[in-house]
Amino acid sequence: GAGVSQTPSNKVTEKGKYVELRCDPISGHTALYWYRQSLGQGPEFLIYFQGTGAADDSGLPNDRFFAVRPEGSVSTLKIQRTERGDSAVYLCASSPISGGEAFFGQGTRLTVV
Amino acid sequence: SQKIEQNSEALNIQEGKTATLTCNYTNYSPAYLQWYRQDPGRGPVFLLLIRENEKEKRKERLKVTFDTTLKQSLFHITASQPADSATYLCALTLGGFKTIFGAGTRLFVKA
């Protein structure tokens, strides 16, 4: 594809439910980042993959959050037992070089009701 | 504590003037510093990257400076246009390549 694709674009879920957010990076990009962004704030770092492995997951807020990238391409962010405070826009970005220019998707707007 | 600070107040300037945005950070030693533009409802878009051993970088109407002693970057848009109105985000790339963002500064350019 031409850019980073995130699905779904919007997700409304009930408190306590499990959700999965998907990110398709630009083909060939080895680095993949997940961020979440609340209104009026900058993107908050969650996790960074280099290839298949999580190089830095220090931003995951607690053990309800988990992310995978099993084949070094598509990544899924998984949130268990969702809480209203998890409501935000979840952004994915990929980069051909770790730490370099990052290409962002449009984000998934998650609303927990 | 570690912080990235950008002007929280919006910057309003007249078309044709130079916009200058500031990014200050504390208790970080970034390898790179990046600037992104974000429009409402969209993901950030990369503008410029400057390395710790570089003082200044330019791209068309954009100029970035990086002072690792002051722990500050300045981002300039010359000959500003209404289409430059957006939120501008400063980002630090740390050792290990984790990249973290400031809260951004909103720029409004009036015709």
Side-chain angles (χ1 to χ4, degrees), chain A residues 33 35 37 40-43 45 48 55-56 58-59 91 98-102 104-106, chain B residues 32 34 36 38 41-46 49 89 93 96-104:
Chain A
Y33 298 83
Y35 295 86
Q37 187 172 29
Q41 301 297 313
F45 173 83
Y48 152 56
D56 189 324
S58 61
L91 293 165
S98 295
E101 173 183 356
F104 280 81
Q106 298 280 62
Chain B
Y32 313 141
Q34 304 184 46
Y36 287 77
Q38 188 172 28
R42 311 294 294 268
V45 174
F46 172 82
L49 179 152
L89 299 162
T93 298
F97 304 115
K98 173 180 176 179
T99 299
I100 55 176
F101 284 79

Side-chain angles (χ1 to χ4, degrees), chain A residues 18 21 25 27 34-35 44-45 70 79-80 84-85 92 95 99 107 113:
Chain A
Y18 168 83
L21 311 179
S27 178
W34 281 100
Y35 295 86
E44 174 193 4
F45 173 83
I79 310 174
Q80 298 178 322
R84 293 195 179 88
C92 175
S95 178
V113 297

